[in-house]
Structures are given as structure tokens and as C-alpha cells.
């Protein structure tokens, strides 16, 4: 639409966790609805090359793209809001920047120069800012800078933005600063000072924000807006209220009401054609907020104290709930505290159980006991990745009678390794970026539930694991009724199992949750929620 790609930077002030990812995705949604081709990228100031090596407690879920990048969970929001695919280029970390610069230095690319933060690190950051824009595929690239302005590790990014603004032309680049306007209960007023200070911090680095988006519990009155405009050198219409929303999916509509898209387009000298009606989006919200039935689903995992650890799963369940006009109440249950004695008491009231992905031994026996319980009691079950592996272990232990069956991840010396390391993984020693990652094809068995759910013969889904279903046990497992109904056509690996004579008992080696979006809910989740709904009705709950 425009000849030149325009760049929007989103920085954060005052505190972390204000929702830069949701703001970026919401703005992108509005610009997309106006007919612009938009993408979003996230720059994270930590030294890990990617979040793949981080414990979910550190960083929440690790999101995986089609091209196998292990990324920040905000990329999940971008895909879920925009229905676009992101890739490795959409997530850059300080670790990745340094690792590239150091390789260049070792190759001698800097021709004897002293390699420094400015200009070498900042040049590399600027090159990465432009990478997606230079493909010609986008009119607008939104770049979210992780962390909070004022952090030591954010400095090179703020400096790179300063330089980029001058290199790239002031009408082609803008900065949105997301900040917090706290409410003081005792004096009953909203306070602007923290925002003034955080804008000053940006100014010390030579960056003037063009727009302030203000997170607040209460509406911003005219006076507060005036004050912010005056002290932070922005126009009054560029002070945008971001009031706490009941759902993240409301935020695009809030931003539309505040005219954020119009302010941005005016600043970037882009036409404001096409009115963003967002009719499909509103219909989705309508279904999400006005369910005609309700189900309770347990998500059994081991990082349950931190809901962000299962972000894509909980969002996929919400999308599927909206598709079924069914409210989904999600309860996180720590598998560590589940055992044969208490599993009935803990699980009996749920309409369905999802056993989550994971790594390592902690909580594994609780997952296996849960699966036994839902298998025997015909409660809808969905196992994802480790959840599917646990279903295979449970089945071989309790149905085939191989009581020591296990995954070699937990029990390297088990006599019955029904889940084992893939051949190509056996030589791998590095942990970072070395799992089976990204999208792989899978062929579905004719007549299977999986085939009818997808309505397709071949699908493609994203993976993130090292261990696999061991084909040595395939025949016996199949004969006993746990059917391998999804097979990788290239290497014959089992990707989906489903149980015969059970209302819904499916395990997938891949992660369908990475592909569910608000407007395109994933069929596996849609049918899982449907099964929960049916279970709820049949049992007259
Ligand atoms: N730990 C298992 C593996 O590596 C499962 C991984 C997962 O659930 N993402 O194979």
C-alpha cells in the first residue's frame, strides 16, 4: 500500500507486565483491519539466545513457530490476534545479537576495528529491526522492546531506536510508550509522576515518544490527559487511555475507541482508508462473553502456579469455548500432588481433563494416575506432547500389563521404553535449539476420530520434543485398542493416538495450541470442548 515500510516501536515504562504484547497485537489488528499488511516483532534484552533453554517459571511458555523458532510467548498473541504466521525473524534477543556480532568479529568482518556496543551492537540491532520490513511483505512493522525503559539491558535498544529514527526519516518511524498511571486509594487520585519520569528517562537517551498509552484502573479525565501531554511533549490526542479490560480480546476495541489507529496513521502520514468494522472479531467476543452452556476443564501440569506457562493452551480453550458458545472454566491442577488415593476426589467433578506438555520427572506419576482415571471413567481426555507420552505409558502399564513401562527421559534404564529418544537425538549434547522443532506433516488414518475432526487427510502441526513413541511396541498397543492414527509420512513416527470405545481420548505428540487463533479456533480444541459439553449434559451436571 505504501512504498516505504513504516516502523512503530513500542516501549514500556514504570513497570513490566503492562501488556506491551497485547497492545502491539491490538494496534496491529486495527491497522490490519484498515487494509495494511502488518507484522510484529519482539526484541528481548536478555542474554539467552532464545527462551527455549529457560524454565517456564522464568519466562512463561516458550512459543514455537512453523519454522521451528523457540520464541517469547508474545509471538503467540501476535498470531492469535492477527491470524498471521511469525518466524525466527520475529523474535530477537540480546544473546542472538551478541552471538552474531561475535561470529562476525571472529571471521574478521570488522577489519581490525575495536568492536563496541555503539556502533557494532546497535548496527546489528538496527539491521534486525529492518529485516522483516525489507522483505517487501509489510507496510508496517511493529517492534516491541521487552523490559522496561531505564533497565541497563534495554539501553542499546533505546539507542538503536534513536539512531533508526534519524536514519529512516521521522515520518516513517514512531515510538509508542506504554506506561502506568497508578491510582492512590488514600488521596483518591490518578498519578502522572511515574510516567513523567519514565518519559524523561527515554528523553535522556534522545528518544521522544510520539504516543503515550496509559494503563489505568480508572478513566483518564481531561485534566490528567492535559497534564501528561504538557509534561511529556505529546499532543493531547496522543494520550491514549488503556483501561483494564475484562478480556485481552477487548483491547483492540478499546484502542479503536481511543483512536489509536488514527493517531498512528496520521503520524506516519498514511491514509486512514477503510473503517475497521472488526465484525468477525466482535462476533467472536459476543460468543466468548455470552455462552449458553458451561464446562469445567482441568489442566493437569507441573508449572501450574504460573498460568503464563500454559498460555497457548488456555487461549486455545477459550477460542474453542467461543466456537461452541460454551464457557470454559479452567482449573490448573498440579500433577505433583495427584496420586492413586486422591485422584477420584480431585478429578471427579470435571467435564474433561487436559494433560499438559512438560519436561522431567516431577509430577509424572500424578499425570499417569489422572490418565488412568479418565480412561476408565470415560471422561474426555486430551494429552499434549508429554501428555500423549504419559497416555502411552499409562496404557502399556495398566492395559498391556508392562508395569515398568516408562519414557527413557524419566527412567533411562527401563526394560520397557515405550517412549524413547529419537535416533537423531542420541548424539545431541547441546540443549539450546536442538529438539525436534517446528511444523511437520502428519497423515491421518481413514475413519479415525482425528481424521473426522480435522476433515483432512494430511495435516501439519508444530513440535517441540526429543522423545517419541517407540515403534517396537506399536503393534501390541494398537491391538489392545490405543490406535496410532496420525503418522509422520517421512519417518513413520506416531504423532497421534486415540483410544477405541471412549467418548474422547486423544493424545498428540505435536502442539495444536500453537496454531489456534481467535478467529480460527483449532479443531482439536473445538471438538475437545464439544466432548466436555456433551459429557456435562449426559451426566446432568
Ligand atoms: N519431555 C518430552 C520430550 O522432550 C515432552 C516435551 C513436551 O511436552 N513439549 O519429548
Amino acid at each position: 500500500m505504501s512504498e516505504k515500510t513504516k516502523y512503530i516501536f513500542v516501549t514500556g515504562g514504570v513497570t513490566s507486565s503492562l501488556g506491551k504484547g497485547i497492545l502491539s497485537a491490538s494496534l496491529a489488528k486495527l491497522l490490519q483491519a484498515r487494509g495494511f499488511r502488518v507484522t510484529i516483532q519482539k526484541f528481548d534484552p536478555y542474554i539467552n539466545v532464545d527462551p527455549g533453554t529457560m524454565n517456564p517459571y522464568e519466562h512463561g511458555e516458550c512459543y514455537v513457530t512453523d519454522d521451528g523458532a523457540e520464541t517469547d510467548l508474545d509471538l503467540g498473541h501476535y498470531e492469535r490476534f492477527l491470524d498471521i504466521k511469525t518466524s525466527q525473524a520475529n523474535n530477537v534477543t540480546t544473546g542472538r545479537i551478541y552471538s552474531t556480532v561475535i561470529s562476525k568479529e571472529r571471521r574478521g568482518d570488522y577489519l581490525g576495528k575495536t568492536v563496541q556496543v555503539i556502533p557494532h551492537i546497535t548496527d546489528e540491532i538496527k539491521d534486525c529491526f529492518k529485516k522483516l520490513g525489507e522483505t517487501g511483505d509489510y507496510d508496517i512493522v511493529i517492534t516491541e522492546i521487552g523490559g522496561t525503559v531505564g533497565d541497563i539491558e534495554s539501553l542499546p535498544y533505546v539507542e538503536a531506536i534513536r539512531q533508526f529514527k534519524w536514519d529512516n526519516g521521522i515520518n516513517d518511524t514512531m515510538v509508542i510508550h506504554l506506561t502506568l498511571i497508578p491510582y492512590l486509594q488514600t488521596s483518591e487520585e490518578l498519578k502522572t509522576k511515574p510516567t513523567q519520569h519514565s518519559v524523561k528517562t527515554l528523553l535522556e537517551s534522545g528518544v521522544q515518544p510520539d504516543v503515550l498509552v496509559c494503563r489505568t484502573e480508572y478513566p483518564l479525565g481531561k485534566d490528567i490527559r492535559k497534564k501528561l501531554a504538557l509534561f511529556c511533549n505529546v499532543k493531547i490526542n496522543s494520550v491514549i487511555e488503556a483501561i483494564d479490560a475484562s478480556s485481552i480480546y477487548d483491547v483492540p476495541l478499546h484502542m479503536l475507541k481511543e483512536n489509536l489507529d488514527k493517531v498512528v496513521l496520521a503520524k506516519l502520514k498514511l491514509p486512514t482508508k477503510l473503517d475497521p468494522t472488526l465484525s468477525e472479531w466482535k462476533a467472536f467476543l459476543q460468543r466468548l462473553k455470552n455462552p449458553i452452556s458451561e464446562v469445567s476443564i482441568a489442566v493437569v501440569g507441573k508449572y501450574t502456579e504460573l498460568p503464563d506457562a500454559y498460555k497457548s493452551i488456555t487461549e486455545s480453550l477459550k477460542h474453542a469455548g467461543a466456537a461452541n458458545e460454551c464457557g470454559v472454566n479452567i482449573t490448573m491442577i498440579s500433577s505433583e500432588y495427584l496420586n492413586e488415593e486422591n485422584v477420584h476426589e480431585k478429578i471427579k467433578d470435571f467435564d474433561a481433563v487436559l494433560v499438559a506438555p512438560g519436561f522431567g520427572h516431577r509430577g509424572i506419576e500424578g499425570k499417569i494416575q489422572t490418565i488412568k482415571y479418565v480412561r476408565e471413567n470415560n471422561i474426555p481426555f486430551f494429552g499434549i506432547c508429554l501428555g500423549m507420552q504419559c497416555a502411552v505409558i499409562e496404557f502399556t502399564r495398566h492395559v498391556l500389563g508392562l508395569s515398568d513401562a516408562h519414557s527413557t527421559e524419566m527412567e533411562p534404564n527401563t526394560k520397557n521404553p515405550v517412549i524413547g529418544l529419537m535416533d537423531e537425538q542420541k548424539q545431541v549434547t547441546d540443549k539450546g535449539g536442538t529438539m525436534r522443532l517446528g511444523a511437520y506433516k502428519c497423515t491421518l488414518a481413514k475413519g479415525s476420530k482425528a481424521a473426522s475432526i480435522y476433515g483432512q487427510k494430511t495435516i501439519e502441526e508444530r513440535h517441540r520434543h526429543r522423545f517419541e513413541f517407540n515403534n517396537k511396541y506399536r503393534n501390541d498397543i494398537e491391538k489392545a485398542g490405543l490406535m496410532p492414527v496420525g503418522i509422520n509420512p517421512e519417518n513413520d513416527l506416531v504423532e497421534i493416538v486415540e483410544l477405541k470405545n471412549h467418548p474422547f481420548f486423544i493424545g498428540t505428540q505435536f502442539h495444536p495450541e500453537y496454531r489456534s487463533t481467535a478467529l480460527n479456533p483449532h479443531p482439536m480444541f473445538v471438538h475437545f470442548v464439544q466432548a466436555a459439553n456433551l459429557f456435562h449434559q449426559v451426566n446432568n451436571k
Side-chain angles (χ1 to χ4, degrees), residues 357-360 384-386 389 409 435 464-467 511:
F359 296 84
I384 299 180
C385 207
L386 182 62
Q389 298 175 354
E409 179 181 4
M435 281 188 252
R464 182 173 187 248
H465 57 110
R466 289 185 205 283
F467 295 83
H511 293 258

Side-chain angles (χ1 to χ4, degrees), residues 64 355-360 364 367 384-389 407 409-410 419-422 425 435-436 463-469 508-511 513-514:
V64 178
V355 174
F359 296 84
I364 202 84
K367 288 186 174 175
I384 299 180
C385 207
L386 182 62
M388 174 265 202
Q389 298 175 354
S407 162
E409 179 181 4
M410 329 298 163
I419 304 293
L421 208 52
M422 288 179 279
Q425 284 287 336
M435 281 188 252
R436 182 181 177 210
H463 291 248
R464 182 173 187 248
H465 57 110
R466 289 185 205 283
F467 295 83
E468 290 288 352
F469 184 110
T508 62
Q509 184 59 83
F510 50 77
H511 293 258
E513 72 273 23
Y514 294 142

Side-chain angles (χ1 to χ4, degrees), residues 67-122:
D67 68 345
E70 295 179 283
T71 73
D72 184 75
L73 58 75
D74 274 333
L75 273 76
H77 292 308
Y78 308 161
E79 292 205 7
R80 288 189 283 272
F81 274 60
L82 300 178
D83 264 287
I84 56 161
K85 294 272 167 66
T86 56
S87 69
Q88 182 62 72
N90 294 76
N91 193 195
V92 176
T93 68
T94 293
R96 192 170 291 276
I97 298 280
Y98 269 80
S99 138
T100 312
V101 169
I102 291 168
S103 315
K104 284 187 184 167
E105 184 275 334
R106 293 288 83 184
R107 277 205 311 266
D109 289 5
Y110 296 114
L111 304 174
K113 287 275 183 214
T114 306
V115 181
Q116 293 179 302
V117 173
I118 305 171
H120 301 99
I121 293 296
T122 45

